Amino acid sequence: METSSEEIVLSVCCVTYNHEKYIAQAIEGFLMQKTTFKFEVLIGEDCSTDETRKIVDEYALKYPDKITLVTSEVNVGAHKNAVRIFSKVKGRYVALCDGDDYWTDPLKLQKQVDFLEQNQDYIMCCHYSKRIKENNEIYYMNLNPKPITYSFEDILFDNDFETVLLSVVFRNTPEINQMYKADWFFQSNAPDRFLKLYATFTSGKDIYVLPEIMSCYRKHTGGIWSTLHPKIIKQKTLSDLYLIIKIFKYSRVQKFKLLLYYLKNYFLFEVKDHSIQNAFSTIKTIL
């Protein structure tokens, strides 16, 4: 990879809100990265009510050549926070990690960028992640990681377990830039899923998962999804499915698979939560 000494090759984007217990560990994971290329760290701090802003400020002052604080005087919400960070990205690759998660391998970014440089048929590179509870107890870790390739259909039908946000590095394409400006993006409940869908759909390329554990995903009571009732989660994922049905174009075979996916996972729920008319309207939209 040929780059000038001043060119920023990769941008790390970190969204954070009320992560005072965790944000330092996330930032340390960014700073420990050993790379042959220059990278920047953009931290979107969304007017936290705890000490998160103070902690980020301290790091930004200590590492002004590496860390840029992106914030405002008012809370803008997770979607707008992510969008304003992405608008400042300079790298041709982008890595993501929320402020309550962290990286564990100092060569993580180097390995992922090397892979994408050498494999132009992939739009995104991920890796395995350990998953822990609030007390640091491990509740999931694959002890035998193997290489995986995920396609658009895999993402569409939730067959993408090893692509959690903190493991993602993707090519910064014009199409992905447009996604962050689309009205539907702000309506989505799981924007990371839409990122993976949109990246694979618009590029026609796949996602590769390196067979290494290089990060740690944290499940805690302050998480966006952690405290939600299962019914609320179902409503949100169904709402996202409505968007997915409308945004992307599908072949006849994909429409049939999408119909089966809906019938298996959402049909009875929509009948009970809304009405039979709503359910049949969804089916009609799919077909």
Side-chain angles (χ1 to χ4, degrees):
M1 176 172 56
E2 297 183 3
T3 63
S4 68
S5 60
E6 294 303 312
E7 179 190 357
I8 293 175
V9 173
L10 180 143
S11 300
V12 178
C13 295
C14 175
V15 170
T16 187
Y17 176 73
N18 283 359
H19 291 154
E20 64 178 359
K21 295 180 181 178
Y22 316 118
I23 187 62
Q25 191 172 24
I27 296 174
E28 290 293 341
F30 307 152
L31 295 174
M32 77 173 180
Q33 293 300 304
K34 298 176 181 178
T35 63
T36 58
F37 52 83
K38 188 174 182 180
F39 68 92
E40 64 177 349
V41 178
L42 305 171
I43 303 178
E45 199 292 307
D46 200 14
C47 295
S48 299
T49 58
D50 60 9
E51 295 296 305
T52 301
R53 172 64 181 272
K54 178 182 177 182
I55 296 167
V56 175
D57 276 338
E58 290 172 354
Y59 274 100
L61 287 171
K62 189 174 181 179
Y63 301 96
D65 59 331
K66 181 73 70 176
I67 297 174
T68 300
L69 171 64
V70 182
T71 190
S72 61
E73 295 303 315
V74 295
N75 178 280
V76 298
H79 288 67
K80 289 184 178 179
N81 195 13
V83 169
R84 67 182 177 184
I85 298 173
F86 197 80
S87 69
K88 298 182 181 299
V89 161
K90 297 176 182 176
R92 62 175 185 264
Y93 295 103
V94 179
L96 304 175
C97 184
D98 286 345
D100 51 352
D101 300 321
Y102 63 97
W103 299 340
T104 57
D105 189 330
L107 296 177
K108 166 192 151 65
L109 294 182
Q110 186 69 56
K111 293 174 183 176
Q112 291 180 278
V113 169
D114 283 348
F115 176 85
L116 290 171
E117 284 286 310
Q118 297 163 16
N119 297 272
Q120 296 299 316
D121 291 338
Y122 291 89
I123 186 66
M124 186 179 291
C125 180
C126 300
H127 53 74
Y128 286 72
S129 298
K130 179 171 62 175
R131 307 189 185 202
I132 63 173
K133 297 179 180 179
E134 199 161 8
N135 61 359
N136 292 322
E137 175 188 349
I138 298 172
Y139 69 90
Y140 170 79
M141 182 169 63
N142 191 317
L143 298 177
N144 186 30
K146 297 178 181 179
I148 308 174
T149 294
Y150 289 127
S151 65
F152 169 76
E153 280 198 19
D154 290 320
I155 310 300
L156 182 63
F157 301 124
D158 299 325
N159 182 30
D160 61 331
F161 190 69
E162 297 295 349
T163 61
V164 287
L165 183 75
L166 71 159
S167 76
V168 167
V169 171
F170 62 90
R171 302 183 193 277
N172 183 11
T173 67
E175 291 80 12
I176 292 177
N177 270 273
Q178 288 302 311
M179 182 198 75
Y180 282 100
K181 300 174 184 177
D183 290 340
W184 56 258
F185 177 77
F186 295 93
Q187 300 171 32
S188 65
N189 293 291
D192 54 324
R193 186 183 184 202
F194 281 85
L195 168 64
K196 291 178 284 187
L197 285 168
Y198 201 75
T200 52
F201 181 82
T202 57
S203 68
K205 299 179 179 181
D206 294 333
I207 298 172
Y208 186 79
V209 181
L210 294 170
E212 299 182 55
I213 299 172
M214 295 193 282
S215 60
C216 191
Y217 171 84
R218 194 190 316 267
K219 184 178 181 180
H220 61 96
T221 53
I224 295 176
W225 293 85
S226 301
T227 58
L228 294 179
H229 188 278
K231 182 179 179 180
I232 301 299
I233 293 176
K234 196 78 169 182
Q235 289 171 338
K236 288 180 176 294
T237 57
L238 177 59
S239 176
D240 278 356
L241 182 61
Y242 294 154
L243 289 176
I244 290 169
I245 292 169
K246 295 176 181 178
I247 293 168
F248 303 104
K249 294 181 180 179
Y250 305 99
S251 66
R252 288 186 177 181
V253 173
Q254 287 175 326
K255 287 181 179 180
F256 180 71
K257 291 180 179 179
L258 194 57
L259 174 61
L260 293 180
Y261 173 80
Y262 167 75
L263 292 174
K264 178 182 177 181
N265 296 283
Y266 294 101
F267 177 73
L268 290 179
F269 175 80
E270 187 164 22
V271 169
K272 294 178 181 178
D273 195 59
H274 297 290
S275 68
I276 188 69
Q277 288 80 13
N278 276 75
F280 280 116
S281 176
T282 302
I283 292 173
K284 183 178 179 180
T285 304
I286 293 173
L287 300 176

